[in-house]
């Protein structure tokens, strides 16, 4: 089920790999180019490349990447756990050699058997879990069954509480009844005694009725106790309840607070403190319990002193100092001062507060909030688990990693050299075509004329094609630019199909032997379906060599929506016979001279499309177009 697994360094050196079948294409290369190099390694550790699904994990301390490839139609739930086990085992076997850069790459590493054991273990565990899920469950194990059990249990507890309450009320009533009967019997007993004394009956005759009364009373109490489920009653107290004498009032104390008495010292320095003057206080035997304070302590006795001797303040504050006292019984030494100054492993909890501040800085510099979140998550993934010195600051490590990530994003995967491409296409006997697309008012026509001037300075023949047949004045604006630059303009007026105008313009440029054709298009919003369909038709009909998106450097979150909308339209509004729809190939960032240090739009656009920024517009003149300096943009973002 698993197609391939590989272990390689972040520098691209493959340490170990194993294939179970021949792969179509190279999905791992796609992962590196599309995800790892473009800093898209966030919380989601999976990637779809054609018919394959790729999952990966990092060991940041050793700079290693562990990758597993399998068919995307399969649901292999054990891959994540398997990668973690492989990472743990591989690092335990070869971690020291990788860290010391002494690992032997002349032959295959002996990791096949350990991996096979891990793979079989994970597959067996997954199979058992699948069988357990497929087995028929009892009603008590279902969600509804658990609800019924809980409901029945609650009802039983409620009924039991009600029964106990009713029995308690009945018991109180019975106790009251017994007390009344006992009082009545006592009255009868007193009356019988008076009559016996009056009539002069003998003592033996008077005792018989009393014994009968006591037996009847005991039988009654026993009967009541048995009815309530109690044990036999204990002996009853006769006579009135004794009264507890009130406690004597405490002796009057001297409520006047005694002030602090100043301590007097001897002339020759502090002497022995005498606490014997305090009344009611046990003598403080310092010499017996804590040692003589005047006696010097030898260096060899320091360990025993700190281990066994404690002051009264320490004993009183045990609860407060419980969390800070050391549990180790080892002796104190000067080396304990440096015990904490060792290497530490970076954790997510200490990285996120620092990354949160950088996130706020990026958003303030016009980076889209969604892109800033993904960048922060990617940097956190790159640093989590990495070992760094205790003397190093987390902020410095985060800033360095973030700078490297931004550099990788802004640096194009393949440098777009327009002049070299023009020379290559010219050998094929056709002109090189560039289409300018974008939303309304960003300066497409103006930047088209700047690119035209750049090409003219490099001794190329250029023709402009006016395909903006929607906006009034668009053709006239291009006519002015063509006259100023002394280049031919191909136009067919308004209310025409822009795809046909572009097709005819390219054909005429080929007939005239032109080197480059610049195609101007109408500005449109990404949610204007009709105009986006017209743009898609122009692209798939004429298949220009380069599609440049013209965007403003002033936008933030809107840049992401615009680029995604244009790419989506170019993919959706094409005939089914088009095998591979076109996408945006590069970006021109306009009004770059008006944003000061808010250069975040550059990051948002490049991160969204994965395509480079070809030019930036820095003014209103034809020569105000430049290549973007990556290091300058990064300094402006983070400072």
């Amino acid at each position: 089920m698993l197609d391939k697994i590989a272990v390689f360094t972040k520098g691209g050196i493959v340490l170990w790999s194993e294939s179970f079948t021949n792969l179509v294409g190279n999905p791992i290369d796609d992962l590196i180019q599309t995800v790892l190099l473009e800093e898209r390694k966030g919380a989601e550790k999976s990637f779809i490349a054609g018919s394959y699904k790729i999952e990966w994990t990092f060991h940041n301390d050793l700079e290693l990447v562990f990758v597993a490839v399998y068919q995307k139609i399969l649901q292999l739930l054990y891959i994540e756990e398997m990668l973690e086990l492989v990472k743990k085992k591989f690092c335990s076997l070869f971690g020291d050699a990788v860290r010391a850069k002494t690992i032997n790459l002349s032959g295959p590493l002996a990791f096949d058997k350990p991996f096979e054991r891990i793979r079989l273990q994970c597959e067996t565990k997954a199979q058992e879990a699948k069988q357990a899920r497929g087995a028929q469950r009892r009603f008590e194990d279902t969600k509804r069954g658990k609800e019924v059990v809980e409901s029945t249990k609650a009802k039983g507890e409620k009924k039991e509480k009600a029964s106990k309450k009713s029995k308690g009320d009945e018991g109180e009533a019975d106790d009251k009844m017994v007390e009344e009967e006992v009082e009545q019997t006592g009255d009868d007993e007193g009356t019988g005694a008076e009559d016996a004394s009056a009539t002069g009956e003998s003592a033996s005759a008077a005792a018989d009725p009393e014994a009968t009364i006591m037996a009847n009373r005991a039988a009654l109490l026993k009967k009541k106790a048995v009815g309530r489920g109690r044990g036999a009653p204990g002996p009853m107290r006769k006579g009135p309840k004794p009264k507890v004498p009130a406690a004597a009032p405490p002796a009057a104390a001297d409520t006047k607070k005694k002030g602090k008495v100043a301590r007097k010292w001897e002339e020759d320095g502090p002497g022995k403190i005498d606490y014997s003057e305090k009344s009611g206080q046990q003598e403080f035997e310092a010499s017996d319990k804590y040692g003589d304070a005047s006696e010097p302590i030898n260096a060899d006795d320091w360990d025993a002193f700190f281990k066994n001797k404690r002051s009264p303040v320490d004993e009183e504050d045990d609860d407060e100092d419980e969390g800070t006292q050391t549990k180790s019984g080892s002796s104190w030494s000067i080396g304990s001062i440096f015990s904490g100054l060792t290497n530490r492993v970076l954790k997510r909890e200490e990285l996120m507060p620092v990354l949160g501040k950088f996130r706020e800085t990026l958003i303030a510099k016009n980076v889209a909030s969604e892109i800033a979140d993904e960048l922060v998550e990617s940097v956190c993934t790159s640093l989590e688990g990495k070992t760094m010195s205790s003397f190093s600051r987390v902020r410095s490590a985060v800033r360095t990693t973030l700078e490297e990530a931004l550099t990788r994003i802004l640096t194009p995967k393949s440098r777009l050299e327009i002049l070299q491409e023009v020379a290559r296409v010219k050998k094929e006997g056709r002109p090189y075509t560039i289409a300018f697309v974008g939303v309304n008012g960003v300066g497409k026509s103006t930047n088209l004329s700047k690119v035209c001037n750049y090409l003219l300075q490099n001794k190329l023949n250029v023709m402009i094609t006016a395909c903006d047949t929607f906006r009034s004045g668009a053709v006239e604006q291009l006519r002015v630019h063509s006259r100023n630059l002394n280049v031919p303009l191909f136009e067919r007026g308004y209310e025409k199909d822009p795809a046909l105008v572009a097709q005819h313009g390219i054909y005429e440029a080929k007939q005239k032997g032109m080197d480059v054709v610049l195609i101007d298009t109408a500005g449109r919003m990404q949610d204007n379906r009709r105009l986006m369909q017209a743009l898609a038709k122009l692209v798939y009909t004429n298949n220009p060599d380069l599609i440049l998106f013209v965007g403003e450097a002033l936008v933030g979150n809107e840049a992401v929506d615009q680029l995604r909308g244009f790419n989506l339209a170019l993919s959706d509004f094409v005939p089914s016979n088009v095998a591979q729809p076109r996408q945006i190939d590069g970006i021109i960032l306009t009004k770059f001279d008006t944003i000061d240090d808010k250069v975040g739009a550059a990051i948002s656009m490049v991160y969204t499309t994965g395509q480079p920024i070809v030019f930036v517009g820095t003014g209103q003149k034809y020569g105000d177009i430049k290549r973007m300096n990556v290091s300058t943009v990064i300094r402006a973002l983070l400072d």
Side-chain angles (χ1 to χ4, degrees):
M1 292 187 290
L2 185 66
D3 290 347
K4 185 173 184 177
I5 185 168
V7 181
F8 55 90
T9 67
K10 291 185 177 179
I13 301 175
V14 179
L15 303 181
W16 175 84
S17 67
E18 185 170 351
S19 300
F20 300 91
T21 184
N22 294 326
L23 300 179
V24 178
N26 199 331
I28 295 182
D29 284 353
D30 295 340
L31 170 72
I32 294 172
Q33 294 177 5
T34 308
V35 178
L36 304 185
L37 292 180
E38 295 184 8
E39 291 299 322
R40 302 179 190 272
K41 47 184 185 291
E44 186 66 26
K45 296 296 183 63
S46 63
F47 171 69
I48 303 296
S51 60
Y52 297 104
K53 184 174 183 179
I54 308 173
E55 294 189 28
W56 71 90
T57 186
F58 297 109
H59 193 292
N60 291 318
D61 190 24
L62 298 178
E63 300 287 328
L64 297 180
V65 186
F66 299 80
V67 179
V69 184
Y70 59 95
Q71 295 289 333
K72 67 179 180 182
I73 60 174
L74 301 177
Q75 293 184 355
L76 304 184
L77 303 180
Y78 64 87
I79 295 296
E80 182 178 355
E81 179 184 0
M82 186 192 71
L83 284 175
E84 291 297 328
L85 293 175
V86 168
K87 177 174 69 174
K88 183 178 180 181
K89 187 66 176 178
F90 188 90
C91 295
S92 65
L93 294 176
F94 309 106
D96 295 337
V98 172
R99 186 178 287 106
K101 298 181 180 179
T102 58
I103 190 167
N104 185 12
L105 298 178
S106 59
L109 297 179
F111 193 66
D112 293 349
K113 292 183 178 180
F115 167 72
E116 190 64 23
R117 288 195 294 267
I118 293 173
R119 184 181 67 85
L120 292 177
Q121 174 188 346
C122 293
E123 288 183 355
T124 304
K125 185 177 178 181
Q127 188 66 24
E128 292 175 353
K130 184 178 180 180
Q131 293 176 357
R133 289 194 300 269
Q136 186 175 2
R137 295 182 297 171
R138 298 181 303 169
F139 176 72
E140 293 82 356
D141 297 332
T142 62
K143 184 178 180 181
R144 178 58 181 166
K146 292 178 181 179
E147 292 177 354
V148 171
V149 171
E150 292 294 333
S151 177
T152 306
K153 186 177 179 181
K155 289 180 180 179
E157 293 177 353
K158 186 176 181 181
K159 186 176 181 181
E160 184 179 353
K161 290 181 181 179
S163 176
K164 288 181 179 180
K165 184 177 180 181
S166 62
K167 287 183 179 180
D169 296 340
E170 180 183 355
E172 292 178 359
D174 291 344
D175 291 342
K176 189 174 182 181
M177 185 184 302
V178 171
E179 291 176 359
E180 293 176 354
E181 291 178 358
V182 170
E183 291 176 359
Q184 185 176 1
T185 306
D187 295 340
D188 294 342
E189 181 183 354
T191 304
E194 291 176 0
D195 294 342
S197 62
T199 56
E201 292 181 353
S202 63
S204 60
D208 292 336
E210 182 178 3
T212 303
I213 292 172
M214 293 300 295
N216 292 339
R217 184 186 302 172
L220 177 63
L221 292 177
K222 184 176 181 180
K223 180 179 179 182
K224 295 295 184 182
V226 172
R228 294 194 300 269
R230 300 179 181 176
M236 294 191 302
R237 176 180 50 80
K238 295 182 181 180
K241 182 178 180 181
K243 296 183 178 180
V244 180
D254 188 8
T255 59
K256 185 176 180 181
K257 187 174 181 181
K258 197 170 183 180
K260 183 176 180 181
V261 180
R263 177 171 293 163
K264 296 182 180 181
W265 302 95
E266 300 295 338
E267 294 181 357
D268 55 349
K272 184 175 181 180
I273 302 174
D274 187 9
Y275 291 92
S276 61
E277 296 181 359
K278 296 186 178 181
S279 60
Q281 189 177 32
Q282 190 177 0
E283 183 177 1
F284 184 77
E285 298 177 355
S287 60
D288 295 338
K289 189 174 181 181
Y290 299 98
D292 192 355
S294 61
E295 182 180 355
I297 301 176
N298 297 328
D300 297 336
D301 297 332
W302 273 102
D303 293 345
F305 180 81
F306 283 105
K307 184 175 181 182
N308 301 320
K309 305 297 182 181
R310 303 181 63 195
S311 67
V313 177
D314 292 334
E315 294 178 357
E316 294 174 359
D317 297 338
D318 278 346
D319 294 338
E320 296 179 3
D321 298 337
E322 184 177 359
T324 59
Q325 293 176 1
T326 58
K327 297 182 180 179
S328 173
S330 59
S331 60
W332 179 90
S333 63
I334 194 66
S336 63
I337 298 177
F338 301 97
S339 60
L341 303 181
T342 57
N343 293 338
R344 70 177 190 272
V345 178
L346 292 176
K347 297 181 179 179
R348 186 181 186 87
E349 292 74 14
E350 58 181 330
L351 288 173
M352 289 311 295
V354 180
L355 286 169
K357 295 181 180 179
F358 277 110
R359 175 187 177 275
E360 295 174 359
T361 302
L362 292 174
I363 293 176
K365 297 295 180 68
N366 251 5
V367 177
S369 58
E370 178 184 354
I371 306 301
D373 292 338
E374 294 184 13
L375 275 172
V376 165
E377 186 62 35
S378 178
V379 172
C380 182
T381 303
S382 300
L383 287 175
E384 187 177 2
K386 197 168 187 177
T387 302
M388 65 176 294
S389 171
S390 297
F391 293 101
S392 302
R393 296 177 58 193
V394 177
R395 180 180 175 84
S396 300
V398 170
R399 181 188 174 96
T400 301
T401 306
L402 186 58
E403 286 180 354
E404 294 173 355
L406 293 174
T407 303
R408 283 193 294 269
I409 291 172
L410 292 176
T411 302
K413 293 176 291 186
S414 58
R415 188 174 181 85
L416 182 59
E417 293 291 348
I418 297 178
L419 300 180
Q420 294 179 4
E421 290 297 313
V422 171
R424 181 185 62 82
V425 171
K426 187 176 181 179
K427 294 179 180 179
E428 300 176 2
R430 63 178 182 87
Y432 186 81
T433 56
I434 303 176
F436 294 78
V437 302
V439 298
N440 309 77
V442 295
K444 289 186 301 301
S445 301
T446 302
N447 283 274
L448 179 146
S449 63
K450 292 180 181 180
V451 173
C452 180
N453 181 67
Y454 167 77
L455 295 173
L456 290 174
Q457 289 178 350
N458 287 277
K459 311 301 181 182
L460 295 175
N461 298 321
V462 184
M463 173 185 284
I464 300 175
T465 303
C467 296
D468 185 357
T469 61
F470 180 76
R471 178 175 64 90
S472 300
V475 177
E476 287 75 12
Q477 181 182 6
L478 287 178
R479 189 175 290 121
V480 173
H481 287 312
S482 65
R483 184 172 60 249
N484 292 339
L485 295 171
N486 193 23
V487 295
L489 172 66
F490 181 86
E491 53 93 5
R492 288 292 182 267
Y494 300 96
E495 301 298 331
K496 303 292 183 182
D497 186 358
L500 292 177
V501 175
Q503 187 176 21
H504 294 158
I506 295 172
Y507 179 78
E508 184 171 336
K510 183 178 180 180
Q511 295 298 320
K512 293 183 177 181
M514 294 294 174
D515 298 325
V516 183
V517 177
L518 304 180
I519 303 173
D520 184 38
T521 63
R524 66 206 77 204
M525 296 304 295
Q526 65 272 14
D527 54 357
N528 190 323
R529 185 180 181 87
R530 184 176 65 86
L531 291 179
M532 294 306 292
Q533 286 178 334
L535 177 63
K537 181 181 178 183
L538 183 149
V539 170
Y540 72 73
T541 299
N542 298 280
N543 193 23
D545 296 291
L546 182 64
I547 303 175
L548 294 180
F549 178 86
V550 183
E552 283 185 337
L554 302 172
V555 297
N557 292 327
E558 185 65 19
V560 178
D561 297 334
Q562 291 174 3
L563 284 163
R564 286 179 177 169
F566 272 79
N567 272 333
L568 187 62
L570 294 177
S571 300
D572 290 348
F573 301 133
V574 295
S576 57
N577 58 351
V578 178
Q580 189 172 0
R582 292 292 303 275
Q583 299 280 283
I584 291 172
D585 300 315
I587 300 167
I588 295 180
L589 208 55
T590 67
K591 307 176 184 179
F592 206 72
D593 56 319
T594 64
I595 58 173
D596 194 20
D597 61 345
K598 299 185 184 303
V599 295
I603 296 293
S604 301
M605 292 183 177
V606 175
Y607 193 88
T608 301
T609 61
Q611 302 300 332
I613 294 177
V614 182
F615 296 109
V616 292
T618 58
Q620 298 297 321
K621 298 180 180 180
Y622 290 123
D624 293 336
I625 187 171
K626 298 179 181 179
R627 296 276 189 177
M628 187 181 68
N629 190 314
V630 174
S631 59
T632 302
V633 172
I634 293 175
R635 283 197 301 270
L637 276 173
L638 299 181
D639 292 341

